[in-house]
Amino acid sequence: MTEVLAFDDVGVVFRDAHGGAYTAVGGATLSVGEGEFLSVVGPTGCGKSTLLNLAAGLLSPSSGAVRVFGEPLRGINHRAGYLFQADSLMPWRSALDNIAAGPEFAGVPRALARQRAEEWLVRVGLAGHGQKYPHQMSGGMKKRAQLAQTLVIDPPILLMDEPFSALDVQTRQLMENELLALWQGSRKSVLFITHDLEEAISLSDRVVILSAGPATRPIAEFTIDLPRPRDVAEIRMTPHFLQLQERIWAVMREEVLKAYKQGAAA
Amino acid sequence: MITLGRLLIGILLLALWQIGTVTGVLHPLFFGRPERILAVIVQWFVSGEIWQHLAVTIAETLMAFTLGTVLGVAAGLWLGLSTHTAALLDPFIKAANAMPRVILAPIFGMWFGLGMTSKVALGFTLVFFIVFFNVLQGVREVSPTVLNGVRMLGATRGQLLRHVYLPAALSWVFSSLHVSVGMAFVGAVIAEYLGSARGIGYLILQAEGMFDVDTVFAGIVVLTACALVLDGIVGIAEKRLLVWQPRADHTRDN
Ligand SMILES: Nc1ncnc2c1ncn2[C@@H]1O[C@H](COP(=O)(O)OP(=O)(O)OP(=O)(O)O)[C@@H](O)[C@H]1O
Ligand SMILES: [Mg+2]
């Protein structure tokens, strides 16, 4: 499998104004293969978003290197689409115009950009809601619009930062299934961040566990050999899923406890 | 119901004023007489004398507003995006803003004469700083997530400016429209009052020189009506321009 995205011994040190330093990521090595759905799970505050920002090129590593299709990454990663944890829609654009933004920036004529946006609007289940502004949309609708906004530019790599964590369970499972269907049709390489182990297992080909911070890095990885296509709600009931979950949780538990103790001490 | 109440209060105030001046409790030389004030206003509009003055005052207001807004947006974007220049110029900006700018009117009068330019100049200095500080704030408070999102969508620096910073800044400008239009108007009228050959401020100045308090009040009434109309237009424009912003009365309409 060819490597689409790779972290080579990457370190990130944040310095504050008082000369203090915090090592968020320490010597992380990790790679995402072509067409692979990789989930990264770790306790809260360990450095998951930091890792994703590195992959996006929004942050440069203090040491080591990030490679995209074998080339060292400099500046923004234009081969990647980023689904943020927080709201990233432009509040002054309607859903449709938000989705049309990417093609528009790339110089696609306005009419064509809107036509493509319209197609994606339908594909993510927002048909008829194109004229709504972000403040008029529910959390789930905004996530769908964000997803369409990212997918319309057809990036080979998809970076997702806990995209569904703010949704209720039903909407969440619905969107997870939709994501799997869309991914299955396009076979993009996905780097998916979550703190929810079940979500990671039900979506992924591979799950990587991060250590608690500081200096987080991958400490274990598991191949998820569950059959596809999957239904995220049903697959959670299968014995094999439960076995995997038990095995991975045994490793993750310790890190979560560590992070919890640090949180309590701080 | 509330309209009726307001109407009654208005009539009551006018009646008290009228009674006060008729009985001599309020001296007509200082307080005027409502019916004479009305007569002056009617006379202005019947003879058509008022239009040229009104046109001048409104033209000055619009020019001051346009100039102040355009340059305020430009300066705000520029300093909002280049932190170093902003830090360098900070004390000068603070001083210019702290200065009671109305006092510049006589200086503008000397520089630009008694024509419209000196009025536009005063209105401009009032509008410019309001817009400038709003844009500065708008640029600094752009959500980093929105910014990063747009960068990930492939926007160039120019596209970031046009599609993120400008709309973010303009939303602040639009929400301060009432204040800035009002300030343009105030600037124009005050500058006229301090020395001019035309405009509503000039009419008031003339009447004051002749102790014609009825005409002074008539001018004030016309100015107030004019300000209310401007404010109403701004209100309509605001609704059109800020459709994308949540309003307190209906946070969501789905
Ligand atoms: N710009 C920054 N400056 C200083 N410290 C930072 C900065 N960004 C992140 N950190 C620190 O780095 C660590 C990792 O942050 P990060 O946001 O990557 O965590 P996370 O795993 O995504 O957390 P969560 O699960 O809560 O989203 C945290 O301790 C955070 O305080
Ligand atoms: Mg995070």
Side-chain angles (χ1 to χ4, degrees):
Chain A
M1 199 155 46
T2 39
E3 273 181 6
V4 168
L5 179 69
F7 296 85
D8 289 339
D9 197 19
V10 168
V12 174
V13 181
F14 289 116
R15 293 180 197 286
D16 60 28
H18 318 291
Y22 179 81
T23 308
V25 179
T29 299
L30 182 70
S31 72
V32 187
E34 191 170 359
E36 185 183 25
F37 200 122
L38 175 70
S39 284
V40 171
V41 189
T44 178
C46 71
K48 302 184 293 295
S49 298
T50 305
L51 222 50
L52 219 51
N53 285 335
L54 286 167
L58 293 168
L59 181 71
S60 17
S62 314
S63 61
V66 176
R67 280 182 293 115
V68 179
F69 288 99
E71 306 273 324
L73 177 63
R74 260 182 236 97
I76 299 284
N77 182 353
H78 290 298
R79 316 290 283 277
Y82 198 149
L83 207 65
F84 290 83
Q85 186 170 2
D87 235 338
S88 69
L89 296 172
M90 288 171 268
W92 44 83
R93 282 184 178 228
S94 66
L96 188 71
D97 287 336
N98 259 292
I99 302 172
E104 217 181 283
F105 294 154
V108 174
R110 217 182 147 73
L112 188 57
R114 290 185 133 236
Q115 190 190 322
R116 276 193 212 161
E118 197 80 60
E119 286 165 22
W120 272 102
L121 203 67
V122 175
R123 224 169 285 175
V124 297
L126 283 180
H129 296 292
Q131 295 316 312
K132 289 202 166 125
Y133 287 92
H135 81 268
Q136 299 169 318
M137 299 191 261
S138 69
M141 290 164 80
K142 279 193 261 195
K143 275 294 161 223
R144 284 166 204 267
Q146 257 175 282
L147 188 62
Q149 189 187 43
T150 307
L151 291 179
V152 69
I153 53 177
D154 198 23
I157 305 169
L158 208 51
L159 307 171
M160 308 182 86
D161 193 357
E162 307 194 25
F164 308 136
S165 60
L167 305 178
D168 60 90
V169 181
Q170 287 80 12
T171 314
R172 185 173 180 161
Q173 293 191 343
L174 216 69
M175 289 207 60
E176 285 167 358
N177 278 333
E178 283 168 19
L179 173 65
L180 280 186
L182 288 170
W183 170 74
Q184 206 104 30
S186 68
R187 284 284 162 176
K188 294 180 188 310
S189 310
V190 181
L191 180 53
F192 190 96
I193 301 283
T194 178
H195 58 245
D196 180 342
L197 187 52
E198 288 192 19
E199 183 177 46
I201 300 172
S202 54
L203 293 175
S204 315
D205 296 321
R206 195 153 56 103
V207 172
V208 168
I209 309 293
L210 292 181
S211 68
T216 193
R217 67 203 145 68
I219 46 167
E221 70 168 69
F222 300 85
T223 303
I224 310 299
D225 48 1
L226 295 167
R228 291 190 190 270
R230 302 176 188 165
D231 179 291
V232 293
E234 281 169 18
I235 202 134
R236 283 171 207 212
M237 314 293 183
T238 62
H240 191 40
F241 182 97
L242 296 172
Q243 260 173 21
L244 281 166
Q245 188 183 10
E246 209 169 307
R247 266 175 56 210
I248 302 174
W249 178 242
V251 178
M252 209 183 137
R253 206 178 112 88
E254 251 174 81
E255 297 307 318
V256 170
L257 280 175
K258 252 189 247 168
Y260 179 76
K261 277 191 199 126
Q262 282 168 6
Chain B
M1 197 57 221
I2 200 154
T3 327
L4 192 68
R6 285 170 181 167
L7 212 61
L8 283 177
I9 293 175
I11 291 170
L12 187 71
L13 285 176
L14 277 174
L16 282 178
W17 188 359
Q18 178 76 16
I19 292 166
T21 47
V22 169
T23 56
V25 178
L26 298 172
H27 201 298
L29 191 60
F30 299 121
F31 291 93
R33 306 246 311 242
E35 92 273 13
R36 287 207 206 131
I37 294 169
L38 186 67
V40 173
I41 295 173
V42 169
Q43 159 65 19
W44 273 344
F45 281 93
V46 168
S47 71
E49 183 198 354
I50 192 75
W51 295 118
Q52 53 162 329
H53 297 289
L54 207 52
V56 165
T57 304
I58 288 177
E60 289 161 356
T61 302
L62 292 183
M63 282 195 272
F65 170 73
T66 311
L67 218 58
T69 302
V70 170
L71 292 182
V73 167
L77 282 178
W78 176 45
L79 287 189
L81 292 176
S82 45
T83 354
H84 290 297
T85 322
L88 183 70
L89 296 182
D90 187 56
F92 300 101
I93 294 164
K94 282 218 178 92
N97 186 47
M99 175 171 52
R101 268 163 274 126
V102 172
I103 216 63
L104 290 174
I107 296 182
F108 289 150
M110 289 195 289
W111 288 354
F112 304 119
L114 292 183
M116 284 171 75
T117 316
S118 56
K119 284 66 186 176
V120 175
L122 185 64
F124 166 80
T125 55
L126 297 180
V127 173
F128 175 83
F129 281 95
I130 298 170
V131 173
F132 171 76
F133 283 110
N134 272 298
V135 171
L136 208 57
Q137 188 77 4
V139 168
R140 287 181 180 166
E141 296 202 353
V142 168
S143 146
T145 316
V146 172
L147 207 56
N148 282 336
V150 174
R151 288 168 75 196
M152 288 308 294
L153 292 176
T156 61
R157 216 180 131 68
Q159 285 169 333
L160 272 186
L161 189 69
R162 189 164 148 231
H163 295 286
V164 180
Y165 287 114
L166 192 63
L170 284 186
S171 77
W172 284 70
V173 173
F174 292 153
S175 55
S176 64
L177 269 184
H178 285 284
V179 185
S180 49
V181 170
M183 278 300 177
F185 190 60
V186 166
V189 172
I190 287 184
E192 282 171 2
Y193 178 70
L194 291 174
S196 61
R198 228 176 267 165
I200 307 289
Y202 164 77
L203 287 182
I204 294 177
L205 177 63
Q206 288 293 98
E208 194 192 12
M210 295 185 288
F211 286 98
D212 179 1
V213 76
D214 290 323
T215 306
V216 172
F217 273 116
I220 291 172
V221 170
V222 172
L223 283 179
T224 307
C226 192
L228 286 176
V229 170
L230 278 178
D231 211 54
I233 294 171
V234 168
I236 294 168
E238 203 175 38
K239 255 194 208 140
R240 292 264 165 98
L241 293 169
L242 291 178
V243 274
W244 59 267
Q245 276 196 348
R247 295 232 308 275
D249 49 331
H250 65 122
T251 334
R252 247 207 233 162
D253 61 16
N254 56 336

